[in-house]
Amino acid sequence: MKRIAVIGSSGGNLYNLGGKDPDKLVGEIAAQCNSAGMELGAVQFIAASESMDTAKETTSAVLYGWNTEERRLAKRLEGTLKEVNEAAFELDADMAALIGSGQIDGLIVMSADPEGANGQAIRAAAEKSIPVVGTGGTSMALIGSKGAKVIAASGTTGTTNRTRAVSFITSLCKHWGMKYVPVLGSPDGYKQPAGNPWRRINLKGIMQSSLPGFIAMAIVLALSQIPALKGLSAVFDIMLKALPVVLAVIAAKQISDMDEVSIVAGVIAGTLSMNGGIIGGILGGIGAGLLVQFLFVKCVQWRFPMTTVNIVAGGFAGLVSGLIMYYLVAPFALQAGEFIKYLINLAISFNPIVAGVIGGLLIWPAILGGVYHAAILPIVLLEMEKTGNSFLGAIDMVGLVMVSAGITLANLVAPRDKGEAAVAAPGFLINMGFGTFVEAAYPFMFSNKWVFGGAIAAAGIGGGLVGVFQVRGTAYVPSFMGPLLSNNVVGFTISMAAALLLAFAVTLVANKTSRGRKTADRNLPAQQSVS
C-alpha cells in the first residue's frame, strides 16, 4: 500500500477556498486515498486564523499532525503564528525522517514553505525522488527548483477541497499505474464511490430536493393576491423562470458532486434550459453533471493546471449541456410537460368530482406502494410550474396529511392503550405544523383494517370535495397556510376539515371497539371461573 504525506498551510488564496477548515481539507484527501487503496501516513499542516497574505507573527494559529490510529488530524500546538512556525520545524524533521527511511511514497503539498517550515521534508523528497503534487504557485515553483520530482502543480484559484483531492490522487495513481475511482458524499461518510455517473441519476431525489423552491414560489403567489402586495406578481414570474435553474443545479450536484464546480455547471445549464420548463432544467442539469465528471477526470489525466481543470469542468460542462438543451431539446421538453398538464386538466374538466375521488382513493395505495414520489410528486411540480399550486397537491394535503392528522388525533384523544398516545402526538403536531410526515399514521393503519379502510374512504371523500370546489393547492406547508396558498380558501378549508374529521371519527370508533373487545376478553376467564 502506498503511503502519502501532506504538508503545507492554510495559505493565502487557499484560506478562502477550504484552507481555513483543515479537517475538511485533509479529510477529503484521506477519503480519496482510501478509495485508491493508499494510506495517509503523515501530516504537517499549519492553520492560521486568517489568510497568510495578511497574517502577522502574532496571528493565532494551530499546528496539526496526523493520528494514525484514529485516522484524523491531531492538534500539536496552539499559539501565535511565530510559535507555531518554530514548533513546525520539529515536525518537519520527523516528516523528513519518514521520507528518508522510505516510509512515504508520495507527497501532497499545499501552500508550503520550502525555505522554512517544510524545508527538510522537501529536501528529503528530492533526494528520494518521490512524486510530489500540490497547489500554490510560488511554493511549487520553489519546490521544483530544489530538484523535487513534481508531477503535477497548479494554483488554487477556482479549486475546492474535493476537486483538489481528486486531482492529487488522480495524478499520483496515473504516475504509479494504479486504478482509482473517486468517492463522493458528505464529509462525514466517504463510502459512495463515484463509479458510473449514469447510476446516480435519481429523478425522485431531484424532485424532492427541489420542493422548497416550488413552495417558496407558491408563497409568493399567495402573497401577490393581497392588494397591497400586487407588485409581488413580478417576483412570481421571475421565480417561475428560475425553477429550471434550481432543478438543473440539484441534478448536476447529485450526479457529479464536485462542490462549487457542479453548482456552476448546473446554473449555466439551467439558465440555458429555461425554455424547456422543469423537464428541460432536469435534463440540462443531468447533462451538466455527467460532463463535469468526464471533463474533470480527462483534464486531470492530461495534466492541466487545477484552475483550468475547474474552469473546463464547470464552465464547459454547463455550456455544452445548456446549448444542446437551448437549441435541440428544450422545445420538446416543454411540450412533454405541457402534454402531461393537458391530460390532468382534461380529466378535471371532464368531471372534477370523479377525478378528485379517484385521486383521493389512489393516494394512499400510491404512497404505500412507493409510487407517490416517483410519479405523483413530479406531476404536482409540473402543475405548480404553471400556476403555483396543483390539483394533485390539494389532494395530497387533504387525502394524506389531513387523514394522517385525523388518525393520529384520534389515537391521541382515545388510544387503544396508553402507549399509543405518546406515539401519535408528534405525528399529529408535525402533520398540522409542517404538512408532512403522513407515515405517522402507518402503525395505526396497519394494525387495524377499519382504520386502514377509513383512511382510504376519508381520502376519497376529501378528494371528491377538492373536485367539487375545483381546488388547487399544495402540501408540505403548515395546515393553516394550506388554504391561503390555494385558489379557493373556503373550499380547501372545507375539504381539509372533512377529511380530518372523517378519519378521526372512524379511528375513534375503531379504537373504542378494539378496547371493548380487549376488556371482554380479560373478563371472560373470571366469569367462567365464577360459574
Side-chain angles (χ1 to χ4, degrees), residues 145-369:
S145 69
K146 293 181 180 296
K149 187 178 181 179
V150 177
I151 62 171
S154 173
T156 55
T157 302
T159 64
T160 69
N161 288 337
R162 179 159 299 163
T163 59
R164 280 192 301 273
V166 172
S167 175
F168 294 152
I169 304 305
T170 300
S171 296
L172 290 170
C173 286
K174 184 178 181 181
H175 175 76
W176 287 318
M178 297 171 59
K179 184 179 180 181
Y180 163 56
V181 177
V183 289
L184 309 176
S186 67
D188 300 323
Y190 297 96
K191 296 182 180 180
Q192 180 189 354
N196 185 348
W198 290 93
R199 295 180 180 177
R200 293 196 301 277
I201 298 174
N202 186 338
L203 295 178
K204 181 174 73 173
I206 295 170
M207 288 289 191
Q208 286 179 301
S209 299
S210 67
L211 189 58
F214 287 84
I215 298 300
M217 184 183 68
I219 292 172
V220 170
L221 176 64
L223 292 174
S224 69
Q225 304 305 309
I226 301 173
L229 300 175
K230 283 290 185 183
L232 285 176
S233 58
V235 175
F236 173 78
D237 293 337
I238 294 173
M239 294 186 69
L240 191 61
K241 294 178 181 178
L243 287 178
V245 181
V246 173
L247 286 153
V249 170
I250 292 170
K253 182 73 167 58
Q254 287 187 358
I255 291 169
S256 67
D257 204 9
M258 289 288 182
D259 296 326
E260 287 87 344
V261 177
S262 307
I263 294 171
V264 170
V267 170
I268 296 171
T271 302
L272 292 172
S273 302
M274 283 183 181
N275 293 339
I278 65 174
I279 293 179
I282 292 172
L283 294 176
I286 289 173
L290 294 171
L291 284 171
V292 162
Q293 184 167 328
F294 174 78
L295 292 175
F296 185 91
V297 171
K298 285 297 180 185
C299 289
V300 171
Q301 291 174 346
W302 294 333
R303 297 189 179 183
F304 283 15
M306 197 63 230
T307 300
T308 306
V309 172
N310 283 13
I311 291 172
V312 172
F316 278 48
L319 189 60
V320 171
S321 178
L323 288 174
I324 291 173
M325 288 301 306
Y326 185 83
Y327 286 109
L328 300 177
V329 184
F332 301 102
L334 182 62
Q335 289 304 313
E338 292 295 332
F339 181 69
I340 293 172
K341 286 178 277 189
Y342 169 77
L343 292 178
I344 295 170
N345 292 328
L346 184 64
I348 296 171
S349 62
F350 178 73
N351 194 318
I353 299 175
V354 172
V357 170
I358 292 174
L361 291 174
L362 295 179
I363 195 80
W364 276 106
I367 196 168
L368 292 172

Side-chain angles (χ1 to χ4, degrees), residues 77-92:
L77 177 70
E78 290 187 66
T80 64
L81 185 57
K82 181 180 179 181
E83 294 169 340
V84 166
N85 277 329
E86 291 172 352
F89 281 98
E90 182 179 343
L91 202 56
D92 184 37

Side-chain angles (χ1 to χ4, degrees), residues 459-485:
I461 292 172
L465 289 172
V466 168
V468 169
F469 296 108
Q470 298 193 30
V471 178
R472 293 180 180 271
T474 182
Y476 302 99
V477 295
S479 58
F480 70 89
M481 284 185 61
L484 300 177
L485 300 180

